[in-house]
Amino acid sequence: MTSVAPDTITMFGADWCRDCIRTKKQLDELGVSYTYVDLVADPAAADVAKEISGRTNIPVVVYPDASHHVEPSNADVESKLRELSLI
């Protein structure tokens, strides 16, 4: 079972999900280090993402402060990264 490291960003997503592709691209372009959990390659990880968020929507982005976003906008992600001084 996949676990979330407390000192990094973890993103649960899938390659068929447009919001996941957008969020992954944003993190890459900002040069932010993160762990990507591919729910197609690791279907059991979907249970972990659901346990964190209480929802089945993706992406689920978990931050080092243990907060998370579900289907975040680019503005939501950028705001959180600035709050955590990651960008």
Side-chain angles (χ1 to χ4, degrees), residues 39-71:
L39 299 179
V40 174
D42 185 3
D47 293 334
V48 176
K50 184 177 179 184
E51 185 177 312
I52 292 165
S53 69
R55 299 167 57 187
T56 57
N57 305 61
I58 55 174
V60 175
V61 182
V62 183
Y63 299 97
D65 67 354
S67 67
H68 69 275
H69 278 132
V70 181
E71 293 183 311

Side-chain angles (χ1 to χ4, degrees), residues 25-40:
K25 180 180 178 194
Q26 179 187 22
L27 292 171
D28 289 342
E29 288 178 351
L30 290 171
V32 175
S33 178
Y34 64 98
T35 301
Y36 180 70
V37 180
D38 183 346
L39 299 179
V40 174

